[in-house]
Amino acid sequence: MDFRQLRYFLAVSEELSFSRAAEKCFISQSAISHQINKLEHELGTSLFDRSTRVVKPTPAGFRLVPIAQQVLALETQALAVAQEPRNRIRISANMTFAPQSLDAIAQVRGRYPDLDIEFVIKSFADRIDAVSSGDADIALIRGHLDRPGLETVELGTERLVIVTSSQHPLSAFSTVELGELAHYPLLLPPRGSQVLLHSVVEDAFVEVGRRVQLGPPIARDHTATLDVITNPRAWTVLFASTVSSDAARPGLRVMREAANRLTVPVSGVVRSGSLSSGALSFMVDALRQAMDPAVPPTPPDAED
């Protein structure tokens, strides 16, 4: 038994669905099912009744819920105790958050000149684990997270842009309606590796009463812009902050969705109660302003 299995168990017990729990944990449904099966095998009992259309905890599952919550809360507390107090803020993120983070770091540096600020590149799972263990103070993610001992603070939203080949039938336009894209295949990595992107696009199509047409999944080591060039009737979506000059080359077309339905939340994940630190709270405000310049900055004489 490990902490990861208990986290997945709690997600399924809360969502009453393996698929929704997988989306919540940003993993594939097969992976979460595999871990739950391993936990059931180790405990020697079934934790969920899968015989109906709705997944329900068995009596043993109901008894395990409060114990799992306590164990994960104790894990967070134990890891926090082991951390030496340091005059440091460590941000854990992926490289796509670098521009906004650098703006926020510059602002915080002006307020706290003696503060050591680090920006560490990690995968999604590793950056969350880093915050849980105290190795990082804040993890930047797209979407939301629900884990005992951690809290999520909203930092803003990010727009998705539509990218096609310059040979695509809609490439003459700067904006496009979602309904117009329903006739063309969408190229994305497999759902298990990009749950958030799939969910945002699917929900937006439901909103306009259409259904998205998925093309063949893009291999995880492929570049989406290359795939739309080789499939000129296809399209893909990219985070607006990641669209480089490469996407503005003659062979590609970058378009905006007309009604701005394709947006994703940007969040910071911190340890519960850690925002009582004035420096970290100021960093969150600075990140929020960097994500959305319309947010007013924190007054310089604000109390810590």
Side-chain angles (χ1 to χ4, degrees):
M1 182 187 306
D2 60 37
F3 294 121
R4 178 182 55 177
Q5 291 170 342
L6 292 179
R7 291 190 189 100
Y8 294 165
F9 162 75
L10 285 178
V12 177
S13 67
E14 291 166 1
E15 297 295 330
L16 302 181
S17 163
F18 279 85
S19 60
R20 290 196 299 271
E23 291 185 10
K24 183 177 182 179
C25 296
F26 295 94
I27 62 170
S28 67
Q29 182 173 339
S30 61
I32 204 168
S33 297
H34 176 68
Q35 292 299 325
I36 295 296
N37 288 336
K38 288 180 63 177
L39 180 60
E40 290 176 324
H41 178 75
E42 185 170 347
L43 294 175
T45 186
S46 295
L47 297 174
F48 294 102
D49 180 2
R50 303 167 174 83
S51 61
T52 61
R53 296 180 65 181
V54 177
V55 176
K56 295 176 59 178
T58 62
F62 278 115
R63 291 194 297 271
L64 181 59
V65 167
I67 297 172
Q69 291 171 335
Q70 293 175 26
V71 168
L72 294 178
L74 287 172
E75 177 206 16
T76 300
Q77 293 175 27
L79 291 169
V81 166
Q83 298 303 310
E84 294 282 341
R86 286 168 290 187
N87 189 29
R88 179 213 77 184
I89 289 180
R90 179 174 289 169
I91 303 169
S92 179
N94 64 25
M95 200 61 200
T96 63
F97 287 112
Q100 302 98 320
S101 298
L102 291 175
D103 291 342
I105 289 170
Q107 184 178 340
V108 176
R109 181 78 69 191
R111 178 73 177 275
Y112 296 91
D114 297 327
L115 185 66
D116 184 17
I117 305 175
E118 301 176 12
F119 183 83
V120 183
I121 304 297
K122 289 183 179 289
S123 68
F124 180 90
D126 286 346
R127 73 187 88 145
I128 301 303
D129 288 342
V131 174
S132 292
S133 69
D135 184 54
D137 301 285
I138 182 168
L140 303 184
I141 66 170
R142 293 180 176 90
H144 297 96
L145 183 81
D146 185 8
R147 180 182 292 188
L150 301 178
E151 60 180 289
T152 301
V153 291
E154 294 187 5
L155 299 177
T157 59
E158 181 166 7
R159 183 166 48 89
L160 295 174
V161 294
I162 295 157
V163 180
T164 70
S165 160
S166 58
Q167 303 303 311
H168 192 280
L170 300 176
S171 63
F173 305 100
S174 60
T175 61
V176 62
E177 297 281 352
L178 279 181
E180 297 175 304
L181 289 166
H183 307 291
Y184 306 101
L186 168 63
L187 303 183
L188 287 178
R191 184 181 181 87
S193 63
Q194 285 286 0
V195 174
L196 181 61
L197 280 182
H198 280 262
S199 298
V200 167
V201 175
E202 290 166 2
D203 291 346
F205 270 82
V206 169
E207 190 176 336
V208 298
R210 303 298 295 270
R211 185 172 181 177
V212 63
Q213 180 189 156
L214 287 175
I218 301 172
R220 296 187 64 178
D221 59 350
H222 280 202
T223 301
T225 51
L226 173 62
D227 285 87
V228 295
I229 287 177
T230 56
N231 296 272
R233 289 184 61 83
W235 61 287
T236 191
V237 291
L238 298 176
F239 294 111
S241 64
T242 68
V243 176
S244 67
S245 58
D246 290 342
R249 289 182 175 178
L252 293 170
R253 182 67 172 169
V254 179
M255 296 175 281
R256 182 174 57 85
E257 193 276 312
N260 290 321
R261 293 186 177 89
L262 299 178
T263 60
V264 297
V266 178
S267 305
V269 179
V270 299
R271 290 183 297 282
S272 297
S274 65
L275 289 179
S276 58
S277 161
L280 183 57
S281 180
F282 191 83
M283 173 63 79
V284 168
D285 287 342
L287 286 166
R288 192 175 284 129
Q289 186 185 3
M291 302 293 174
D292 183 0
V295 175
T298 302
D301 58 349
E303 294 186 1
D304 293 339

mmCIF file of all heavy atoms in Angstrom, residues 227-245:
data_model
loop_
_atom_site.group_PDB
_atom_site.id
_atom_site.type_symbol
_atom_site.label_atom_id
_atom_site.label_comp_id
_atom_site.label_asym_id
_atom_site.label_seq_id
_atom_site.Cartn_x
_atom_site.Cartn_y
_atom_site.Cartn_z
ATOM 1 N N ASP A 227 2.215 18.129 -37.252
ATOM 2 C CA ASP A 227 1.144 17.210 -37.653
ATOM 3 C C ASP A 227 0.052 17.901 -38.452
ATOM 4 O O ASP A 227 -0.517 17.306 -39.368
ATOM 5 C CB ASP A 227 0.555 16.537 -36.411
ATOM 6 C CG ASP A 227 1.468 15.456 -35.851
ATOM 7 O OD1 ASP A 227 2.354 15.787 -35.046
ATOM 8 O OD2 ASP A 227 1.308 14.291 -36.249
ATOM 9 N N VAL A 228 -0.261 19.163 -38.144
ATOM 10 C CA VAL A 228 -1.294 19.834 -38.941
ATOM 11 C C VAL A 228 -0.769 20.223 -40.317
ATOM 12 O O VAL A 228 -1.543 20.317 -41.275
ATOM 13 C CB VAL A 228 -1.873 21.074 -38.214
ATOM 14 C CG1 VAL A 228 -2.603 20.671 -36.949
ATOM 15 C CG2 VAL A 228 -0.817 22.114 -37.934
ATOM 16 N N ILE A 229 0.530 20.436 -40.437
ATOM 17 C CA ILE A 229 1.088 20.712 -41.762
ATOM 18 C C ILE A 229 0.992 19.477 -42.652
ATOM 19 O O ILE A 229 0.673 19.559 -43.839
ATOM 20 C CB ILE A 229 2.553 21.183 -41.646
ATOM 21 C CG1 ILE A 229 2.593 22.606 -41.089
ATOM 22 C CG2 ILE A 229 3.256 21.132 -43.003
ATOM 23 C CD1 ILE A 229 3.991 23.138 -40.866
ATOM 24 N N THR A 230 1.247 18.311 -42.074
ATOM 25 C CA THR A 230 1.178 17.072 -42.856
ATOM 26 C C THR A 230 -0.254 16.562 -43.003
ATOM 27 O O THR A 230 -0.499 15.651 -43.780
ATOM 28 C CB THR A 230 2.043 15.979 -42.200
ATOM 29 O OG1 THR A 230 1.622 15.786 -40.847
ATOM 30 C CG2 THR A 230 3.511 16.375 -42.220
ATOM 31 N N ASN A 231 -1.200 17.162 -42.250
ATOM 32 C CA ASN A 231 -2.624 16.823 -42.380
ATOM 33 C C ASN A 231 -3.393 18.128 -42.591
ATOM 34 O O ASN A 231 -3.996 18.672 -41.651
ATOM 35 C CB ASN A 231 -3.133 16.115 -41.120
ATOM 36 C CG ASN A 231 -2.458 14.774 -40.903
ATOM 37 O OD1 ASN A 231 -2.900 13.755 -41.412
ATOM 38 N ND2 ASN A 231 -1.369 14.792 -40.138
ATOM 39 N N PRO A 232 -3.376 18.696 -43.787
ATOM 40 C CA PRO A 232 -3.857 20.064 -44.015
ATOM 41 C C PRO A 232 -5.342 20.297 -43.741
ATOM 42 O O PRO A 232 -5.766 21.441 -43.666
ATOM 43 C CB PRO A 232 -3.527 20.325 -45.494
ATOM 44 C CG PRO A 232 -3.295 18.983 -46.082
ATOM 45 C CD PRO A 232 -2.789 18.101 -45.000
ATOM 46 N N ARG A 233 -6.155 19.255 -43.566
ATOM 47 C CA ARG A 233 -7.560 19.472 -43.207
ATOM 48 C C ARG A 233 -7.771 19.358 -41.688
ATOM 49 O O ARG A 233 -8.887 19.531 -41.211
ATOM 50 C CB ARG A 233 -8.461 18.467 -43.940
ATOM 51 C CG ARG A 233 -8.575 18.727 -45.435
ATOM 52 C CD ARG A 233 -9.554 17.758 -46.092
ATOM 53 N NE ARG A 233 -10.901 17.866 -45.558
ATOM 54 C CZ ARG A 233 -11.798 18.764 -45.954
ATOM 55 N NH1 ARG A 233 -11.464 19.661 -46.876
ATOM 56 N NH2 ARG A 233 -13.002 18.784 -45.438
ATOM 57 N N ALA A 234 -6.722 19.085 -40.951
ATOM 58 C CA ALA A 234 -6.841 18.911 -39.506
ATOM 59 C C ALA A 234 -6.568 20.235 -38.786
ATOM 60 O O ALA A 234 -6.149 21.233 -39.382
ATOM 61 C CB ALA A 234 -5.857 17.850 -39.029
ATOM 62 N N TRP A 235 -6.825 20.232 -37.477
ATOM 63 C CA TRP A 235 -6.532 21.407 -36.635
ATOM 64 C C TRP A 235 -6.108 20.933 -35.256
ATOM 65 O O TRP A 235 -6.297 19.775 -34.898
ATOM 66 C CB TRP A 235 -7.746 22.335 -36.542
ATOM 67 C CG TRP A 235 -8.995 21.727 -35.932
ATOM 68 C CD1 TRP A 235 -9.827 20.806 -36.508
ATOM 69 C CD2 TRP A 235 -9.549 22.009 -34.633
ATOM 70 N NE1 TRP A 235 -10.861 20.487 -35.660
ATOM 71 C CE2 TRP A 235 -10.727 21.216 -34.500
ATOM 72 C CE3 TRP A 235 -9.181 22.845 -33.589
ATOM 73 C CZ2 TRP A 235 -11.524 21.245 -33.360
ATOM 74 C CZ3 TRP A 235 -9.977 22.877 -32.450
ATOM 75 C CH2 TRP A 235 -11.131 22.092 -32.344
ATOM 76 N N THR A 236 -5.505 21.825 -34.505
ATOM 77 C CA THR A 236 -5.116 21.508 -33.133
ATOM 78 C C THR A 236 -5.293 22.754 -32.285
ATOM 79 O O THR A 236 -5.628 23.837 -32.801
ATOM 80 C CB THR A 236 -3.671 20.981 -33.058
ATOM 81 O OG1 THR A 236 -3.420 20.438 -31.752
ATOM 82 C CG2 THR A 236 -2.658 22.075 -33.351
ATOM 83 N N VAL A 237 -5.094 22.626 -30.979
ATOM 84 C CA VAL A 237 -5.151 23.781 -30.085
ATOM 85 C C VAL A 237 -3.844 23.846 -29.299
ATOM 86 O O VAL A 237 -3.246 22.826 -28.967
ATOM 87 C CB VAL A 237 -6.352 23.709 -29.112
ATOM 88 C CG1 VAL A 237 -7.663 23.881 -29.853
ATOM 89 C CG2 VAL A 237 -6.349 22.409 -28.309
ATOM 90 N N LEU A 238 -3.407 25.064 -29.024
ATOM 91 C CA LEU A 238 -2.206 25.303 -28.224
ATOM 92 C C LEU A 238 -2.516 26.372 -27.189
ATOM 93 O O LEU A 238 -3.379 27.238 -27.410
ATOM 94 C CB LEU A 238 -1.049 25.774 -29.104
ATOM 95 C CG LEU A 238 -0.529 24.826 -30.192
ATOM 96 C CD1 LEU A 238 0.550 25.536 -31.008
ATOM 97 C CD2 LEU A 238 0.019 23.551 -29.592
ATOM 98 N N PHE A 239 -1.829 26.309 -26.057
ATOM 99 C CA PHE A 239 -1.942 27.393 -25.089
ATOM 100 C C PHE A 239 -1.358 28.651 -25.712
ATOM 101 O O PHE A 239 -0.278 28.622 -26.307
ATOM 102 C CB PHE A 239 -1.207 27.043 -23.804
ATOM 103 C CG PHE A 239 -1.814 25.890 -23.059
ATOM 104 C CD1 PHE A 239 -1.155 24.676 -22.957
ATOM 105 C CD2 PHE A 239 -3.053 26.021 -22.469
ATOM 106 C CE1 PHE A 239 -1.714 23.612 -22.280
ATOM 107 C CE2 PHE A 239 -3.633 24.962 -21.783
ATOM 108 C CZ PHE A 239 -2.967 23.756 -21.691
ATOM 109 N N ALA A 240 -2.075 29.760 -25.572
ATOM 110 C CA ALA A 240 -1.645 30.999 -26.230
ATOM 111 C C ALA A 240 -0.230 31.395 -25.823
ATOM 112 O O ALA A 240 0.544 31.893 -26.648
ATOM 113 C CB ALA A 240 -2.623 32.129 -25.891
ATOM 114 N N SER A 241 0.133 31.135 -24.556
ATOM 115 C CA SER A 241 1.465 31.536 -24.085
ATOM 116 C C SER A 241 2.582 30.692 -24.686
ATOM 117 O O SER A 241 3.746 31.073 -24.617
ATOM 118 C CB SER A 241 1.531 31.444 -22.558
ATOM 119 O OG SER A 241 1.372 30.101 -22.126
ATOM 120 N N THR A 242 2.233 29.552 -25.283
ATOM 121 C CA THR A 242 3.265 28.670 -25.841
ATOM 122 C C THR A 242 3.426 28.842 -27.337
ATOM 123 O O THR A 242 4.286 28.194 -27.938
ATOM 124 C CB THR A 242 2.932 27.194 -25.553
ATOM 125 O OG1 THR A 242 1.753 26.806 -26.299
ATOM 126 C CG2 THR A 242 2.674 26.956 -24.072
ATOM 127 N N VAL A 243 2.597 29.689 -27.949
ATOM 128 C CA VAL A 243 2.671 29.860 -29.398
ATOM 129 C C VAL A 243 3.875 30.734 -29.716
ATOM 130 O O VAL A 243 3.903 31.925 -29.428
ATOM 131 C CB VAL A 243 1.385 30.499 -29.953
ATOM 132 C CG1 VAL A 243 1.523 30.750 -31.451
ATOM 133 C CG2 VAL A 243 0.201 29.589 -29.691
ATOM 134 N N SER A 244 4.880 30.132 -30.289
ATOM 135 C CA SER A 244 6.122 30.839 -30.608
ATOM 136 C C SER A 244 6.055 31.392 -32.021
ATOM 137 O O SER A 244 5.065 31.256 -32.737
ATOM 138 C CB SER A 244 7.309 29.884 -30.472
ATOM 139 O OG SER A 244 7.224 28.879 -31.469
ATOM 140 N N SER A 245 7.140 31.992 -32.424
ATOM 141 C CA SER A 245 7.210 32.523 -33.789
ATOM 142 C C SER A 245 7.090 31.416 -34.824
ATOM 143 O O SER A 245 6.718 31.663 -35.973
ATOM 144 C CB SER A 245 8.530 33.281 -33.985
ATOM 145 O OG SER A 245 9.630 32.426 -33.731
#
